[in-house]
Amino acid sequence: ETGVTQTPRHLVMGMTNKKSLKCEQHLGHNAMYWYKQSAKKPLELMFVYSLEERVENNSVPSRFSPECPNSSHLFLHLHTLQPEDSALYLCASSQDMNIPYNEQFFGPGTRLTVL
Amino acid sequence: DAKTTQPTSMDCAEGRAANLPCNHSTISGNEYVYWYRQIHSQGPQYIIHGLKNNETNEMASLIITEDRKSSTLILPHATLRDTAVYYCIVRVSGSARQLTFGSGTQLTVLP
């Protein structure tokens, strides 16, 4: 398998549920990202990890909890979400945060619906 | 990072060249121009990037004006599969943390 994969592709959950989104990159990259894309809005960066260390957290509510156990895997743990959290959640990876040029490769996204 | 301005939408006939403009009048000398596109309900896809010289790859060409205040992405022979939102992003070289996506241009390729 190549590139950046995300599972599940679609998720419907109630506000009291706990679920996790998974991202895996097969590119040997050192940096991974979570983005949120709500309907008709630009992508919003949520979290950035470099070599499994969180380097950026853009004021994301605590009901979203990221985890990066190694440089190939990234999780987004969800609990007590709100309907307004329904969105497309995108994972991306890039080679290294310290090189001059740093193209990001995106996964297909998880379409999340919170009821 | 410099702000970019793009038209909201554009149409292009299949087989013709699609020329997508982007204004970045406040760009600084060390900022690159990147183009990504996002096909409906998929993740964004990198297309091309450049600093001041024109660039070409298998997907597209990037023309940057001499003063670097604007650029044009050219898809030489647009196909229906090129229908997507195209994002022009300006970012400092080495600023690897995030891509700031604006609203982009919805390109619709018509049969």
Side-chain angles (χ1 to χ4, degrees), chain A residues 8-113:
Chain A
R9 294 294 308 277
H10 300 273
L11 177 62
V12 179
M13 60 187 287
M15 289 191 285
T16 58
N17 291 157
K18 288 184 180 181
K19 297 287 185 183
S20 295
L21 310 184
K22 179 182 176 182
C23 175
E24 185 173 0
Q25 58 96 0
H26 310 270
L27 301 168
H29 289 168
N30 290 332
M32 297 187 78
Y33 311 75
W34 278 118
Y35 287 84
K36 173 185 178 183
Q37 188 172 34
S38 303
K40 299 185 178 179
K41 288 185 178 180
L43 273 76
E44 305 169 53
L45 180 69
M46 299 176 74
F47 302 104
V48 181
Y49 277 82
S50 177
L51 295 171
E52 300 121 61
E53 179 182 339
R54 191 188 307 181
V55 295
E56 195 151 331
N57 175 355
N58 280 4
S59 302
V60 179
S62 59
R63 57 186 183 270
F64 295 92
S65 174
E67 178 190 0
C68 188
N70 56 62
S71 60
S72 298
H73 294 87
L74 185 65
F75 295 89
L76 188 62
H77 303 299
L78 317 170
H79 63 98
T80 60
L81 295 192
Q82 305 297 312
E84 59 264 29
D85 297 321
S86 298
L88 181 68
Y89 288 85
L90 290 157
C91 173
S93 72
S94 65
Q95 183 177 349
D96 190 300
M97 293 187 62
N98 297 313
I99 59 176
Y101 169 62
N102 196 36
E103 171 193 345
Q104 291 187 19
F105 292 79
F106 285 80
T110 295
R111 174 68 63 186
L112 174 67
T113 302

Side-chain angles (χ1 to χ4, degrees), chain B:
Chain B
D1 291 342
K3 180 180 172 61
T4 62
T5 305
Q6 299 178 251
T8 303
S9 63
M10 292 181 64
D11 292 341
C12 176
E14 188 178 19
R16 304 296 292 270
N19 298 303
L20 293 98
C22 179
N23 286 326
H24 30 79
S25 58
T26 59
I27 193 170
S28 358
N30 62 348
E31 288 184 308
Y32 282 73
V33 180
Y34 295 78
W35 283 83
Y36 280 72
R37 73 179 182 184
Q38 187 175 21
I39 296 170
H40 182 62
S41 293
Q42 296 183 22
Q45 176 191 22
Y46 164 81
I47 300 173
I48 199 167
H49 78 284
L51 182 62
K52 53 183 178 181
N53 296 321
N54 298 337
E55 302 288 344
T56 296
N57 63 20
E58 64 278 3
M59 289 182 69
S61 295
L62 174 60
I63 308 298
I64 303 174
T65 58
E66 193 168 341
D67 63 7
R68 303 210 323 122
K69 292 186 177 183
S70 66
S71 60
T72 301
L73 178 74
I74 301 172
L75 307 179
H77 305 287
T79 70
L80 298 179
R81 288 176 293 180
D82 291 322
T83 293
V85 178
Y86 286 76
Y87 298 99
C88 170
I89 300 163
V90 175
R91 192 177 68 186
V92 175
S93 170
S95 172
R97 291 190 171 180
Q98 66 177 19
L99 300 170
T100 303
F101 286 81
S103 300
T105 296
Q106 170 66 59
L107 174 69
T108 302
V109 180
L110 305 171

